[in-house]
Amino acid sequence: MKSCSGGNAVVIGGGYIGMECAASLVINKINVTMVFPEAHCMARLFTPKIASYYEEYYKSKGVKFVKGTVLSSFDVDSNGKVVAVNLRDGNRLPTDMVVVGIGIRPNTSLFEGQLTLEKGGIKVNGRLQSSNSSVYAVGDVATFPLKLLGETRRLEHVDSARKSAKHAVAAIMEPDKTDKFDYLPFFYSRVFTLSWQFYGDNVGEVVHYGNFSGATFGAYWVNKGQLVGSFLEGGTKEEYEAIAKATQLQPVVEDLAELERQGLGFALAVSQKPLPSTPVDGKTVPGLVLGKSLYPLHATAGVILAASIAAFAYWYGRRRRRW
């Protein structure tokens, strides 16, 4: 980066590595072009609306986007230095450096035929033990039970890597005192002056909220009537903690329009007090149900009550004057 200051960089990939590297390159006064095959950045997590916000922000910083195509080959000079990137769509991008961040494939080939593999990783139990109880697996390579979602997952993020490693050490050192790994999926990123956090799972119907032309906005994911995922950009520490707790509790949501209206306030309300548990379809879920707003009904009742009190006061006053 120091040798290319003021030059051009091509970033291949529009995920975590691509987005974070592009921001760092721009901060170091390098012109950046991002290339990825998807329709928008962070396609595995972001909705088109969320992605549009970040892409417009990056464009305001001078980043160019080339979507819907992939790297075909490099052009190099006599010293073997890359001088251009050739794309499958026929475009040629002159460049001084290239960052390729196109994802990972866990390297499990060493364990084939020795350990049970599942979903591209090493299958482990709640103590992060593999099918060979003396072998533990953590981080991106481990496929572990997610109690919150009732299935096994393999997650690729630093938070999961750190916490699964810590849990595995505890399970080894103090097996009798260590419960099963109970992890809330958590992803985050900080680029430029932006900072977002996501908890849970991005499946089901999505509800956006907040001001997408401002600094704070977010989204909820509702699957089978329950909140399963929450995203927030530009939140405070307390607000991020609130969406995490709300996602962990998985409250029932019946009215998506009301959820959109309440926005971040919904998570803040859910997180402020412990919720009683109510069995629903054989599954224990928090006892908060977000249905249609009762405000109109409450307002009508209030008006009727106030009118009744006023009428009684008027009648009572006239009788006292007669007495």
Side-chain angles (χ1 to χ4, degrees):
M1 290 169 67
K2 290 180 179 179
S3 69
C4 295
S5 182
N8 300 316
V10 174
V11 175
I12 307 296
Y16 265 111
I17 299 299
M19 295 295 283
E20 293 184 348
C21 282
S24 295
L25 290 163
V26 169
I27 291 170
N28 283 274
K29 298 179 171 50
I30 297 175
N31 304 306
V32 177
T33 299
M34 295 187 67
V35 178
F36 48 85
E38 296 86 5
H40 59 76
C41 67
M42 293 289 292
R44 291 171 61 183
L45 174 60
F46 288 177
T47 66
K49 186 171 184 177
I50 293 174
S52 177
Y53 175 89
Y54 292 101
E55 289 183 11
E56 290 303 314
Y57 189 94
Y58 272 55
K59 288 177 183 177
S60 74
K61 299 293 185 180
V63 177
K64 298 177 182 177
F65 289 91
V66 179
K67 307 176 188 179
T69 189
V70 294
L71 167 70
S72 177
S73 64
F74 296 121
D75 288 344
V76 298
D77 63 15
S78 58
N79 296 319
K81 183 182 184 302
V82 175
V83 295
V85 172
N86 298 305
L87 304 180
R88 187 174 292 174
D89 65 4
N91 282 325
R92 181 178 185 272
L93 305 175
T95 189
D96 298 295
M97 68 174 290
V98 181
V99 176
V100 180
I102 56 174
I104 67 164
R105 182 182 296 111
N107 188 3
T108 59
S109 58
L110 175 64
F111 308 104
E112 290 180 3
Q114 301 184 76
L115 303 177
T116 301
L117 306 180
E118 185 177 291
K119 297 182 179 178
I122 299 170
K123 184 179 181 180
V124 296
N125 60 21
R127 294 180 178 274
L128 301 173
Q129 292 171 293
S130 70
S131 53
N132 180 329
S133 61
S134 64
V135 177
Y136 292 71
V138 302
D140 294 5
V141 78
T143 301
F144 63 94
L146 261 177
K147 292 171 64 176
L148 185 71
L149 304 179
E151 60 181 65
T152 59
R153 286 280 180 93
R154 190 182 61 78
L155 301 178
E156 300 170 7
H157 197 270
V158 62
D159 184 73
S160 171
R162 288 171 175 163
K163 290 179 179 175
S164 60
K166 183 178 180 180
H167 193 88
V169 171
I172 293 168
M173 301 297 292
E174 298 183 302
D176 295 335
K177 299 180 181 179
T178 305
D179 294 328
K180 293 182 179 180
F181 190 44
D182 188 8
Y183 182 69
L184 171 65
F186 171 44
F187 303 89
Y188 67 87
S189 185
R190 292 184 289 270
V191 292
F192 297 115
T193 59
L194 306 176
S195 177
W196 60 261
Q197 294 186 15
F198 171 83
Y199 295 89
D201 199 12
N202 59 331
V203 296
E205 297 181 87
V206 62
V207 175
H208 298 96
Y209 64 85
N211 182 7
F212 275 75
S213 60
T216 304
F217 62 87
Y220 295 118
W221 281 261
V222 178
N223 190 40
K224 298 178 181 178
Q226 287 180 259
L227 181 74
V228 296
S230 301
F231 174 94
L232 179 62
E233 162 64 44
T236 64
K237 180 176 181 291
E238 292 74 21
E239 289 168 342
Y240 286 132
E241 290 174 350
I243 66 167
K245 184 174 181 181
T247 307
Q248 185 80 52
L249 292 172
Q250 293 190 323
V252 174
V253 176
E254 293 179 346
D255 190 341
L256 298 183
E258 177 63 13
L259 180 62
E260 180 181 9
R261 190 193 68 78
Q262 291 191 23
L264 183 57
F266 174 72
L268 291 169
V270 170
S271 67
Q272 286 174 357
K273 56 183 179 180
L275 300 175
S277 295
T278 306
V280 176
D281 295 331
K283 180 180 179 181
T284 300
V285 298
L288 175 66
V289 177
L290 179 64
K292 297 186 181 299
S293 175
L294 297 178
Y295 297 142
L297 178 61
H298 292 165
T300 302
V303 169
I304 293 172
L305 179 61
S308 300
I309 293 172
F312 175 77
Y314 177 76
W315 172 81
Y316 186 70
R318 286 179 62 86
R319 284 186 63 86
R320 284 187 61 85
R321 282 195 293 272
R322 290 198 195 100
W323 298 338

